[in-house]
């Protein structure tokens, strides 16, 4: 139904109601449509008046819908009136109403009221991140940076993940402001981005850049750039952080992989204890390897070719320069079949070490173990993104470590003919927000959405202090 | 015109305010009947002035005046711990806001609700309770209707009083039950064993265990009704486990009289290992024929979160042979997981046992999961399969487009 354009008299509403299929739903449907069409608020008021006269009361959900319309149009005095009514009529409000009230009031000169509402909301629930967003934006908009940061830390303490908008607004509203404390807080936000591997989007990046350049007496200069493959920034000639993990991170990760990915809840799910033990002794006796190959994955690279030919191409390609190879496969590869010729397999076994797992075991887990056990220089070859193994890791910190390690150690096939593996893994430098005191390097995304978790941005913001 | 408006508005206001004030005095005397009297007043008010101009803020007055006594009403609440009471209030507000929240919630459910670890878990639990409430209500309504209809029929029947004389022999359901019990008893001595492995309680959530038990109960009743039932074994069954409690909930006192074998022993302790076959969808081996000399094991597990290889791991650990149903071989699979519910498994196995006909047995696989039955291996009907997939893809795309059109009515125009 199309909402009317002008306020209607009670009789007119009554008539509409009679014509409507489900008379008891008229108010709700009508208000929903008003919200969608952004109808004038007077029309909604006339409907409410009609309802109030008819029933002597207005249902809570109808009030909330009216509130939505008011918030949408920024009708501050109406919002306040509705709040007063709700307050007396109902003992407590629910989260939806609080969200709306806070959002509506924070954009007005009554923004302090939004803060008191936030306090009230805290009594019954953990406020949503958009609630915090509205309040923080309102506070920082009115130059109350201290208050804004208090709210920010409060939400972090409650495990509410801040939106990028919140972080961006801090940079936007602190532009040109002085104060060591403020600067420390904003650096803290940049470090938050670093720890959680969040990449700012383009407009956010501009806010950061403009803030740095606006610090009075800071002499910061920002440039947009792309980092060279060697990891050097072309603007300030600074060398970016290495993608290698630290000793502690490394041992932590390999421990976690063994515990959570290979063993998990039950070692039998991916392998069996005997097999894993056999594999362990096999690896320990031949350490260290330079490259570990996922045999089955590589053998499917070209569907026209025989699977063992694909594999032997890959082994030949990688076997140069005396690197020690380990190929992981399954027992069925040893059976002479149309895809797996015994002679070719024999030949390959001279060039590389082979380990054949049971046909029902998962070889990926062995791949991870062998690579990690061989040390930091060792890399692995597979086209698999290893998402399911990442998912076995229990916490986000370890998952980030895993991704970082994967970026630095996975060799992928270049789409070229004949088979050619890029000898170097994707990145030698670490793709996170980083600082050296007088420089900051911040990777950013062109678009707002990040599409794949394994992709990292290639564009950087370089900020240096002159 | 403006002046006229103002004037009218004033008149209206002055005509409403006295009522409100009047009411304010009344409220102490008659706290309960207020809203009614107000609407009555308003209606009279309207009747006097049929051509009034609208006062848009009138609803506020109504709301404000209608409310003071409601607060005073809520003086005596049922005594509950304050946190529970607060949660109950929040739920009530959510219900008023039109969310999927049950009308009535017990203290126990409220506690479960509060123990939910996240907002989405809470929402899910409430939605579950809400739907359950709706189902219960509609079931009750249907039952009432049925009873009424039956009463009416009885009335009519007593009028005519002829239907009772029938040439058929009267066969009460208890006689049928007796026959079933005979068969079950026979199967306990001579029947082929079928094992349910009850060792998955740790792997499941409470609701999954409930569903498991429900499925087993259904399977058991199917088994009882066939001509040649299995001898059902519940192995690894722990006394006073969640399984046990759920079974008692379903069977009540019949639990002790059930003609099945319940034991805390493992199946490997009861039967020779070489006779056991663990049925699991993850098995690399495909079942070719139903073997009447083997003992099949079914894992009693409902797996809502994807935990692949749990039952395969169990079989591997014990060194048992495994098998999967030949679903791929006989059915053009379309969607859904290959693991079937326990009652479906039971019916498939029963049919296999009786007829040895895969087509008949796999009738019990839900229709939504496959497109058709094939006699030839799936490889040979690859072309048809591709066609079906292409059709499916197109349907999916259309669905997505429709959804998009619904969500973005303005941007989306059909050209």
């Amino acid at each position: 139904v199309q909402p009317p354009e002008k306020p209607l008299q009670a009789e007119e509403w009554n008539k509409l109601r009679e014509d409507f299929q489900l008379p008891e739903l008229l108010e709700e449907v009508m208000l929903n449509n008003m919200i969608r069409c952004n109808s004038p608020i007077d029309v909604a008021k006339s409907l409410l008046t009609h309802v109030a006269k008819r029933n002597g009361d207005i249902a809570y959900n109808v009030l909330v819908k009216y509130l939505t319309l008011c918030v949408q149009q920024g009708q501050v005095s109406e919002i306040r009136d509705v709040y007063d009514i709700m307050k007396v009529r109902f003992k407590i409000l629910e989260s939806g109403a609080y969200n709306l009230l806070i959002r509506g009031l924070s954009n007005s000169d009554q923004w302090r009221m939004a803060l008191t509402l936030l306090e009230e909301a805290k009594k019954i629930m953990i406020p949503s991140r958009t609630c915090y967003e509205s309040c923080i934006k309102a506070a920082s908009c009115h130059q109350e940076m201290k208050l804004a940061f208090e709210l920010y830390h409060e939400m972090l303490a409650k495990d509410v993940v801040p939106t990028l908008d919140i972080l961006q607004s801090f940079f936007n509203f602190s532009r040109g402001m002085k104060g060591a404390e403020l600067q420390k807080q904003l650096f803290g936000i940049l470090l938050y981005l670093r720890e959680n591997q969040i990449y700012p989007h383009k407009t956010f990046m501009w806010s950061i850049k403009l803030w740095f350049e606006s610090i009075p007496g800071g002499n910061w200069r920002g440039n947009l750039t792309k980092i060279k493959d060697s990891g050097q920034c072309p603007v300030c000639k600074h060398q970016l952080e290495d993608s290698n993990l630290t000793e502690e991170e490394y041992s932590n990760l390999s421990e976690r992989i063994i515990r959570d990915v290979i063993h998990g809840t039950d070692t039998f799910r991916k392998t069996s204890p005997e097999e894993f033990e056999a594999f362990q002794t096999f690896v320990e006796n031949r350490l260290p390897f330079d490259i570990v190959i996922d045999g089955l994955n590589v053998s499917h690279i070209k569907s026209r070719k025989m699977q063992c030919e694909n594999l032997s191409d890959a082994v030949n390609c990688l076997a140069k320069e005396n690197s020690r190879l380990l190929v992981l496969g399954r027992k069925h590869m040893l059976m002479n079949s149309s895809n797996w010729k015994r002679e070719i397999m024999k030949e390959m076994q001279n060039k590389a070490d082979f380990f054949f797992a049971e046909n029902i075991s998962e070889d990926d887990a062995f791949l991870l173990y062998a690579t990690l056990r061989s040390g930091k220089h060792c890399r692995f070859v597979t086209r698999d993104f290893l998402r399911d193994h990442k998912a076995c890791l229990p916490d986000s910190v370890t998952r980030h470590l895993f991704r970082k390690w994967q970026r630095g150690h996975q060799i992928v096939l270049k789409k070229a003919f004949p088979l050619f593996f890029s000898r170097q893994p994707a990145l030698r430098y670490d793709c996170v927000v980083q600082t050296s005191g007088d420089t900051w390097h911040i990777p950013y995304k062109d678009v707002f959405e990040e599409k794949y978790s394994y992709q990292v941005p290639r564009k950087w913001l370089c900020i240096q202090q002159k | 015109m403006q002046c006229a408006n103002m004037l009218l508005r004033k008149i209206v206001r002055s005509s409403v305010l006295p009522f409100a004030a009047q009411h304010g005095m009344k409220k102490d005397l008659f706290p309960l009947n207020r809203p009614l009297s107000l609407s009555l007043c308003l209606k009279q008010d309207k009747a006097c002035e049929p051509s009034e101009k609208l006062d848009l803020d009138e609803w506020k007055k109504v709301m404000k005046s209608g409310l003071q006594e409601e607060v005073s009403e809520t003086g005596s609440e049922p005594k509950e711990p304050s946190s529970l009471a607060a949660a109950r209030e929040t739920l009530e507000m959510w219900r008023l806001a039109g969310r999927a929240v049950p009308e009535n919630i017990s203290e126990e459910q409220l506690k479960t609700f509060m123990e939910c670890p996240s907002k989405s878990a809470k929402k899910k639990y409430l939605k579950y309770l809400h739907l359950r409430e709706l189902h219960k209500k509609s079931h009750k309504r249907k039952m009432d209707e049925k009873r009424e209809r039956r009463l009416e029929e009885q009335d009519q029947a007593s009028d005519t009083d002829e239907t009772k004389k029938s040439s058929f022999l009267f066969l009460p359901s208890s006689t049928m039950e007796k026959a079933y019990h005979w068969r079950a008893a026979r199967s306990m001595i001579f029947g082929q064993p079928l094992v349910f492995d009850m060792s998955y309680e740790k792997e499941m959530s409470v609701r999954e265990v409930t569903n498991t038990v429900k499925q087993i109960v259904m399977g058991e009743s199917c088994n009882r009704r066939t001509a040649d039932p299995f001898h059902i074994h519940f192995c690894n069954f722990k006394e006073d486990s969640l399984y046990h409690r759920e079974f008692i909930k379903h069977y009540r006192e019949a639990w002790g009289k059930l003609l099945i074998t319940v034991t805390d022993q493992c199946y490997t302790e009861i039967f020779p290992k070489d006779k056991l076959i663990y049925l699991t969808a993850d098995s690399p081996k495909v079942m070719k024929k139903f073997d009447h000399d083997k003992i099949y094991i079914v894992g009693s597990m409902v797996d809502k979160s994807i935990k692949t290889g749990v039952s395969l791991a169990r079989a591997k650990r014990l060194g048992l042979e495994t098998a999967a149903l030949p679903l791929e071989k006989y059915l053009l699979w379309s969607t859904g997981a290959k693991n079937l519910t326990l009652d479906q498994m039971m019916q498939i196995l029963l049919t296999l046992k009786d007829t040895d006909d895969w087509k008949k047995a796999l009738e019990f696989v839900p229709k939504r999961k496959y497109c058709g039955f094939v006699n030839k291996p799936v490889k040979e009907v690859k072309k048809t399969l591709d066609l079906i997939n292409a059709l499916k893809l197109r349907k999916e795309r259309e669905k997505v487009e429709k959804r998009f059109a619904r969500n973005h009515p303005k941007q989306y125009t059909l050209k």
Side-chain angles (χ1 to χ4, degrees):
Chain A
V1 276
Q2 191 72 25
E5 277 160 23
K6 270 182 266 164
L8 298 188
Q9 294 286 351
E11 303 90 61
E12 292 169 296
W13 280 120
N14 267 333
K15 195 174 172 307
L16 259 182
R17 199 181 156 93
E18 275 157 27
D19 295 344
F20 197 64
Q21 298 148 320
L22 294 161
E24 57 282 10
L25 286 180
L26 176 80
E27 296 97 54
E28 267 182 65
V29 174
M30 196 53 97
L31 276 165
N32 276 343
N33 286 339
M34 285 181 193
I35 293 166
R36 194 174 307 146
C37 308
N38 209 6
S39 304
I41 203 160
D42 283 349
V43 184
K45 277 187 186 174
S46 78
L47 175 60
L48 288 192
T49 306
H50 163 67
V51 175
K53 279 190 189 173
R54 204 188 146 85
N55 307 336
D57 189 15
I58 298 175
Y60 180 77
N61 59 344
V62 175
L63 276 180
V64 171
K65 293 220 159 85
Y66 175 66
L67 188 61
T68 317
L69 192 67
C70 296
V71 170
Q72 194 170 305
Q73 301 181 359
Q75 305 273 3
V76 180
S77 63
E78 277 306 304
I79 297 172
R80 289 210 58 164
D81 281 353
V82 176
Y83 173 62
D84 288 340
I85 287 169
M86 282 183 163
K87 187 100 214 270
V88 219
R89 178 72 184 71
F90 303 101
K91 250 188 180 174
I92 55 165
L93 303 186
E94 49 78 60
S95 45
Y98 275 123
N99 281 348
L100 284 167
L101 289 167
I102 290 172
R103 184 142 57 93
L105 292 172
S106 64
N107 283 328
S108 68
D109 49 353
Q110 311 229 5
W111 63 277
R112 280 193 189 276
M113 174 130 177
L115 293 181
T116 46
L117 277 174
L118 185 71
E119 289 303 317
E120 213 178 294
K122 268 183 229 161
K123 280 179 210 154
I124 60 156
M125 58 170 189
I126 296 178
S128 68
R129 61 194 209 145
T130 45
C131 279
Y132 275 110
E133 183 182 315
S134 311
C135 290
I136 289 177
K137 272 188 177 169
S140 48
C141 181
H142 293 85
Q143 303 293 311
E144 298 251 3
M145 295 315 280
K146 207 173 155 223
L147 180 65
F149 274 110
E150 260 168 36
L151 287 172
Y152 169 67
H153 289 300
E154 183 184 303
M155 74 185 287
L156 286 188
K158 284 186 177 161
D159 274 337
V160 183
V161 181
T163 59
L164 282 186
D165 273 11
I166 294 180
L167 306 180
Q168 191 183 351
S169 75
F170 281 124
F171 286 95
N172 279 341
F173 292 115
S174 321
R175 207 172 289 161
M177 277 163 78
K178 246 188 162 167
E181 179 60 24
L182 180 71
Q183 202 163 323
K184 211 178 110 197
Q185 289 280 16
L186 288 168
F187 283 165
I189 293 179
L190 289 176
L191 292 178
Y192 176 82
L193 295 181
R194 175 192 168 85
E195 265 149 42
N196 294 287
Q197 311 216 352
I198 301 169
Y199 307 114
H201 50 85
K202 210 170 187 176
T203 47
F204 187 3
M205 181 276 297
W206 276 106
S207 305
I208 297 173
K209 182 173 182 289
L210 289 175
W211 172 73
F212 265 107
E213 289 172 343
S214 76
I215 299 175
N219 282 328
W220 292 92
R221 298 261 349 115
N223 287 294
L224 307 187
T225 180
K226 279 185 179 170
I227 303 295
K228 288 180 193 162
D229 281 345
S230 62
Q232 197 187 41
C233 169
V235 182
C236 62
K237 305 285 182 263
H238 185 79
Q239 184 71 30
L240 289 198
E241 277 175 47
D242 208 68
S243 66
N244 281 336
L245 309 186
T246 65
E247 283 302 329
E248 197 193 335
E249 285 172 337
Y250 198 86
S251 63
N252 198 354
L253 181 65
S254 30
E255 209 173 280
R256 280 304 178 79
I257 295 264
I258 293 171
R259 204 182 69 196
D260 298 324
V261 179
I262 297 176
H263 292 305
T265 51
D266 188 351
T267 318
F268 282 97
R269 277 174 72 175
K270 288 192 174 157
T271 167
S272 65
E274 298 86 44
E275 191 184 27
F276 185 61
E277 210 168 290
F279 178 68
Q280 265 182 321
T281 38
F282 172 87
V283 171
E284 299 299 327
N285 288 339
R286 281 154 224 246
L287 280 178
F289 299 102
D290 297 317
I291 297 174
V292 183
I293 302 170
D294 182 349
L296 273 178
N297 189 291
V298 167
S299 71
H300 286 286
I301 283 177
K302 287 206 171 94
S303 53
R304 295 267 178 80
K305 276 194 168 179
M306 241 193 291
Q307 290 174 5
C308 63
E309 277 184 333
N310 272 329
L311 183 58
S312 90
D313 284 353
V315 170
N316 286 334
C317 169
L318 291 161
K320 291 162 200 159
E321 298 165 30
N322 288 331
S323 41
R324 287 179 53 79
L325 301 185
L326 169 65
V327 181
L328 291 168
R330 293 218 180 102
K331 290 224 163 111
H332 72 78
M333 292 157 79
L334 288 170
M335 308 286 277
N336 205 9
S337 67
S338 60
N339 260 322
W340 297 97
K341 290 273 173 269
R342 193 164 281 159
E343 310 86 66
I344 302 178
M345 289 302 287
K346 273 266 159 58
E347 196 195 317
M348 270 193 285
Q349 287 183 42
N350 295 328
K351 292 180 185 157
D353 281 315
F354 273 74
F355 183 85
F356 297 99
E358 291 293 331
N359 292 339
I360 48 170
S361 296
E362 276 204 36
D363 46 0
D364 287 353
F366 292 151
L367 177 88
L368 295 176
Y369 176 77
T371 318
L372 280 165
R373 201 60 201 86
S374 295
K376 281 182 184 175
H377 72 286
C378 181
R379 286 162 291 149
F380 62 95
V381 187
T382 177
R383 288 183 301 172
D384 200 308
F385 290 118
L386 305 175
R387 291 189 191 95
D388 44 347
H389 303 294
K390 190 187 86 163
C392 292
L393 296 168
D395 56 303
S396 67
V397 179
T398 332
R399 281 200 283 254
H400 281 316
L401 275 185
F402 181 75
R403 272 278 181 256
K404 185 178 167 186
W405 174 77
Q406 191 189 355
R407 275 201 294 273
H409 291 81
Q410 184 166 14
I411 298 179
V412 284
L413 181 78
K414 283 260 166 80
K415 278 219 174 11
F417 187 81
L419 275 187
F420 176 71
F421 291 90
S422 62
R423 301 285 307 183
Q424 293 304 331
L427 286 173
R428 290 173 68 180
Y429 53 92
D430 191 13
C431 196
V432 285
V433 175
Q434 44 192 281
T435 178
S436 65
D438 57 350
T439 62
W440 280 88
H441 287 91
I442 298 162
Y444 68 93
K445 296 177 292 186
D446 259 334
V447 278
F448 183 72
E449 302 282 336
E450 184 178 20
K451 222 159 166 58
Y452 302 109
S453 69
Y454 61 86
Q455 281 181 339
V456 287
R458 309 308 299 266
K459 298 186 172 177
W460 289 74
L461 167 68
C462 160
I463 296 166
Q464 51 178 329
Q465 199 167 26
K466 288 260 161 70
Chain B
M1 190 64 196
Q2 194 90 41
C3 295
N5 272 356
M6 288 289 284
L7 193 68
L8 272 173
R9 199 169 291 168
K10 252 184 203 162
I11 292 171
V12 174
R13 251 185 219 157
S14 55
S15 63
V16 175
L17 277 174
F19 285 115
Q22 206 179 334
H23 170 65
M25 289 196 285
K26 246 190 205 168
K27 137 196 130 183
D28 300 325
L29 302 173
F30 309 105
L32 285 171
N33 59 4
R34 233 295 295 178
L36 191 80
S37 65
L38 176 81
S39 48
L40 204 83
C41 294
L42 283 169
K43 268 177 198 155
Q44 282 170 354
D45 176 37
K46 241 187 98 357
C48 316
E49 278 180 288
S51 64
E52 65 174 322
K53 180 72 189 155
L54 266 181
D55 177 6
L56 292 172
D57 285 336
E58 199 175 321
W59 63 275
K60 289 184 192 167
K61 280 169 223 145
V62 176
M63 287 304 282
K64 279 177 187 162
S65 58
L67 107 292
Q68 259 86 8
E69 77 278 351
E70 304 234 359
V71 177
S72 57
E73 263 173 55
T74 53
S76 59
E77 284 273 293
K79 269 148 213 130
E80 255 179 333
S82 61
S83 63
L84 280 185
R88 200 177 276 278
E89 266 173 37
T90 330
L91 287 191
E92 178 59 22
M93 289 317 286
W94 280 353
R95 203 174 65 76
L96 287 179
R99 293 214 213 168
V101 172
E103 246 173 77
N104 304 306
I105 186 165
S106 72
E107 200 160 314
E108 199 179 328
Q109 287 167 338
L110 208 58
K111 267 180 199 149
T112 327
F113 162 74
M114 284 165 72
E115 278 158 15
C116 286
S118 67
K119 264 187 196 173
S120 59
K122 281 182 185 174
K123 245 186 232 169
K124 246 184 225 166
Y125 182 64
L126 287 178
K127 195 176 171 194
Y128 159 72
L129 289 180
H130 175 67
L131 287 179
R132 215 174 63 165
E133 198 174 48
L134 285 185
H135 284 311
K136 262 191 191 160
K137 255 188 208 160
S138 74
H139 179 74
K140 191 164 178 275
R141 205 194 55 233
K142 272 180 204 158
M143 281 320 208
D144 287 348
E145 276 169 18
K146 209 173 166 188
R147 194 185 311 131
E148 248 161 57
R149 230 178 305 139
R150 207 170 44 220
L151 281 177
E152 261 169 43
E153 266 166 34
Q154 259 176 15
D155 284 348
Q156 283 170 1
S158 61
D159 288 345
T160 52
D161 206 18
E162 267 169 42
T163 39
K164 267 187 186 171
K165 286 167 197 160
S166 151
S167 58
F168 292 113
L169 205 67
F170 183 58
L171 193 63
S173 59
S174 61
T175 317
M176 289 304 286
E177 280 299 314
K178 240 177 235 166
Y180 293 145
H181 282 308
W182 265 107
R183 280 188 204 153
R186 198 183 55 205
S187 84
M188 294 240 344
I189 307 169
F190 304 112
Q192 180 179 4
L194 177 74
V195 177
F196 282 95
D197 180 3
M198 310 297 249
S199 59
Y200 294 98
E201 201 177 295
K202 263 189 243 146
E203 254 86 20
M204 290 189 279
S205 67
V206 178
R207 266 190 53 202
E208 283 170 337
V209 175
T210 331
N211 290 352
T212 310
V213 169
K214 230 179 244 172
Q215 290 177 9
I216 294 179
V217 169
M218 264 152 81
E220 192 270 329
S221 80
C222 291
N223 183 55
R224 202 188 318 160
R225 266 153 240 271
T226 48
D228 184 15
F230 280 112
H231 175 195
I232 297 179
H233 284 73
F234 290 170
C235 289
N236 294 323
F237 191 91
K238 299 273 172 321
E239 197 70 20
D240 212 34
S241 58
L242 199 51
Y243 279 125
H244 191 183
R245 269 172 279 156
E246 284 295 327
F247 271 119
I248 287 174
K249 235 188 238 174
H250 272 280
Y251 283 114
R252 309 241 173 83
E253 56 276 17
W255 168 247
K257 298 178 207 151
L258 226 48
L259 292 171
I260 55 173
T261 304
V262 180
T263 166
D264 61 346
Q265 278 179 306
C266 184
Y267 28 86
T268 46
E269 293 165 40
I270 310 176
F271 302 109
K273 248 188 187 183
D274 55 323
K275 279 206 163 184
L276 292 169
I277 296 184
Y278 211 115
L279 292 175
T280 160
D282 296 321
S283 168
K285 272 184 215 141
V286 173
M287 197 169 152
K288 287 211 178 70
K289 243 182 113 254
F290 183 85
D291 195 333
H292 294 268
D293 295 328
K294 296 277 187 196
I295 294 146
Y296 290 96
I297 308 168
V298 179
S300 323
M301 177 179 180
V302 168
D303 177 17
K304 284 193 174 160
S305 59
I306 310 138
K307 296 187 200 93
T308 42
V310 173
S311 54
L312 185 66
R314 201 127 318 179
K316 261 204 249 169
R317 182 192 298 277
L318 298 168
L320 298 178
E321 205 180 314
T322 60
L325 292 181
L327 301 174
E328 290 274 72
K329 195 175 155 197
Y330 290 104
L331 302 174
L332 273 178
W333 202 258
S334 96
T335 51
K338 299 262 166 53
N339 48 1
L340 303 174
T341 61
L342 298 166
D343 53 313
Q344 285 159 12
M345 269 319 270
M346 177 66 107
Q347 286 192 314
I348 290 173
L349 290 175
L350 281 171
T351 323
L352 279 180
K353 189 157 112 105
D354 288 348
T355 63
D356 224 4
D357 180 352
W358 279 106
K359 185 165 183 187
K360 250 190 199 162
L362 295 183
E363 287 277 294
F364 292 103
V365 177
K367 295 277 180 296
R368 65 171 192 284
K369 287 194 176 183
Y370 63 94
C371 311
F373 195 86
V374 279
N375 294 317
K376 288 178 258 176
V378 173
K379 257 187 204 163
E380 285 172 34
V381 281
K382 188 100 194 342
K383 234 185 208 170
T384 349
L385 199 72
D386 287 343
L387 194 74
I388 288 166
N389 280 341
L391 284 175
K392 224 164 47 186
L393 209 70
R394 207 166 66 194
K395 228 192 252 168
E396 287 287 294
R397 207 176 304 140
E398 271 165 20
K399 229 189 265 170
V400 170
E401 272 171 18
K402 255 186 215 157
R403 202 178 311 144
F404 184 80
R406 212 171 37 234
N407 293 345
H408 308 272
K410 276 172 207 163
Q411 295 99 307
Y412 189 79
T413 44
L414 265 176
K415 273 164 204 161

